[in-house]
Amino acid sequence: MISSSDFQTTPEQKEILPMDAATFPYVCNYTDLNKYMNRYLTWHWHPLLEFDYIEEGTAELRTSDNTYILPRGTVVFINSGVLHTIGSHNRMSGCRTYAHLFDMHFLSGMYNSILEQKYFLPIIQNKAFQVYVISPDSYPRIRMIEKVLKVIELSRTEPSGYEFEIRIELSRLWYLLFEETKELRSQTVERNTIDAERLKTMMDYIHKHLAEKVTLEDIAASASISTRECSRCFQRCIKIPPVNYLSEYRIRTASQMLLRTNESIITISENCGFSSSSYFSKVFQEFMGCTPKDYRKKNRI
């Protein structure tokens, strides 16, 4: 079954996935980016491995140190634990994606198996290997994209034994990725992971204290750095100041609450840390182009 449930994260910006990790640690998520603020998902991460297929439009994937433009028909691999966001390039409408997410042990079997040691950990533990874009420009890469499309079809139709078939196709895809990236994995250049870890910590603080008054000093202190370094870290990683991220996250959370709850606009503004409902309406309109009341009326089913 293909899931099209709304994108959600924990306060630690860990993605909440519609899957039962104990029985079948795999899910195929279909996402229409038109549904989200600025046609972008919020920054997030997860311990799973991920292959995204761009079905329509042009997507833009951002990590803490790079941006990737992904045209229709492209597949992108995102490694475990990588902080990232994906959205529509230039905020154009019509961008839709399929994301395959699965636990390593869905393919490798038991813990510390030879499959895990030989084929998975060399990729998962390689800090220089965060993202790999698979364009249809060579025979091996076309084969990889074909495997992704096959898994989408299996997830959609669920024929008899589809669980086995999904695991078989993903195993073949993984081995093709393993072979394709030998040269990349042989590189000894290490990425700077300090910024990403600091950013996760500071985002976590913002998310957990959303209803409170949060200052730049508070955000910096959560990662034990100066306000100057805090601002530089946000700018280096996600290209916006910390206070801008705070405002954007408050509006994202408020927009979800408007659609998913029956709370009053006043209560939502308080829960999202706004000093008054009038200020909330002003900021909401700047981001969303309409008032909270109109947004709820137009988008709630």
Side-chain angles (χ1 to χ4, degrees):
M1 184 177 110
I2 294 175
S3 171
S4 57
S5 59
D6 287 345
F7 175 84
Q8 299 181 62
T9 63
T10 67
E12 297 81 16
Q13 69 267 6
K14 181 179 177 181
E15 184 177 358
I16 300 172
L17 294 163
M19 62 183 280
D20 186 345
T23 60
F24 195 61
Y26 162 82
V27 68
C28 179
N29 272 348
Y30 174 76
T31 301
D32 182 347
L33 289 163
N34 286 335
K35 294 169 54 179
Y36 298 94
M37 177 177 157
N38 294 329
R39 298 191 171 100
Y40 250 92
L41 303 183
T42 189
W43 287 87
H44 63 284
W45 66 276
H46 45 70
L48 303 180
L49 302 165
E50 178 173 356
F51 285 92
D52 289 358
Y53 174 72
I54 314 305
E55 183 196 38
E56 292 290 343
T58 300
E60 185 173 288
L61 174 71
R62 300 176 189 170
T63 65
S64 60
D65 60 1
N66 216 334
T67 298
Y68 305 85
I69 307 302
L70 310 169
R72 177 185 177 187
T74 302
V75 168
V76 60
F77 167 71
I78 305 169
N79 212 341
S80 171
V82 174
L83 185 66
H84 65 282
T85 180
I86 190 167
S88 178
H89 181 52
N90 292 331
R91 301 181 182 177
M92 296 293 289
S93 64
C95 188
R96 294 184 288 272
T97 68
Y98 287 94
H100 303 277
L101 301 112
F102 57 95
D103 185 273
M104 167 181 66
H105 296 102
F106 181 49
L107 306 185
S108 68
M110 66 182 69
Y111 285 83
N112 296 318
S113 69
I114 190 171
L115 296 176
E116 176 182 322
Q117 299 295 324
K118 187 174 180 179
Y119 298 106
F120 285 88
L121 295 186
I123 291 178
I124 293 172
Q125 294 181 348
N126 189 329
K127 293 180 180 179
F129 194 145
Q130 293 192 324
V131 168
Y132 190 74
V133 177
I134 305 165
S135 302
D137 54 9
S138 69
Y139 179 65
R141 292 173 186 170
I142 290 172
R143 287 183 64 200
M144 295 167 76
I145 294 172
E146 288 175 345
K147 299 301 178 188
V148 171
L149 293 173
K150 177 64 174 178
V151 177
I152 291 173
E153 184 62 21
L154 288 167
S155 299
R156 179 185 292 115
T157 59
E158 296 188 358
S160 177
Y162 77 94
E163 298 94 341
F164 284 116
E165 293 297 326
I166 286 175
R167 189 168 65 177
I168 289 168
E169 294 299 332
L170 286 176
S171 296
R172 289 170 174 160
L173 171 62
W174 188 265
Y175 182 71
L176 289 171
L177 177 71
F178 181 81
E179 288 292 297
E180 174 81 6
T181 59
K182 279 183 177 179
E183 183 177 346
L184 174 64
R185 289 183 284 107
S186 69
Q187 297 173 5
T188 57
V189 177
E190 287 289 316
R191 293 183 184 270
N192 180 7
T193 59
I194 295 175
D195 273 353
E197 292 306 313
R198 284 175 171 174
L199 191 64
K200 284 183 182 180
T201 298
M202 291 186 286
M203 286 180 169
D204 182 24
Y205 178 86
I206 288 171
H207 300 175
K208 287 180 175 177
H209 296 82
L210 197 65
E212 305 167 19
K213 180 181 178 181
V214 176
T215 66
L216 178 60
E217 288 75 14
D218 295 330
I219 298 170
S222 70
S224 302
I225 57 177
S226 68
T227 55
R228 188 176 182 182
E229 180 59 22
C230 169
S231 296
R232 286 177 172 175
C233 182
F234 270 82
Q235 194 63 39
R236 284 193 296 263
C237 292
I238 62 175
K239 307 299 186 289
I240 61 172
V243 291
N244 290 41
Y245 176 81
L246 172 61
S247 296
E248 181 178 311
Y249 188 76
R250 280 178 164 154
I251 295 299
R252 283 186 183 274
T253 304
S255 66
Q256 293 174 0
M257 293 177 70
L258 286 166
L259 301 183
R260 297 174 184 167
T261 75
N262 294 316
E263 298 284 356
S264 69
I265 291 175
I266 292 175
T267 300
I268 290 173
S269 69
E270 292 173 349
N271 289 341
C272 292
F274 290 94
S275 56
S276 68
S277 58
S278 60
Y279 179 62
F280 168 54
S281 293
K282 176 179 179 293
V283 177
F284 192 93
Q285 193 155 8
E286 289 174 357
F287 275 94
M288 307 300 288
C290 62
T291 66
K293 182 178 179 180
D294 289 341
Y295 180 82
R296 175 177 265 176
K297 184 177 181 180
K298 287 191 296 185
N299 294 282
R300 195 166 187 178
I301 300 175

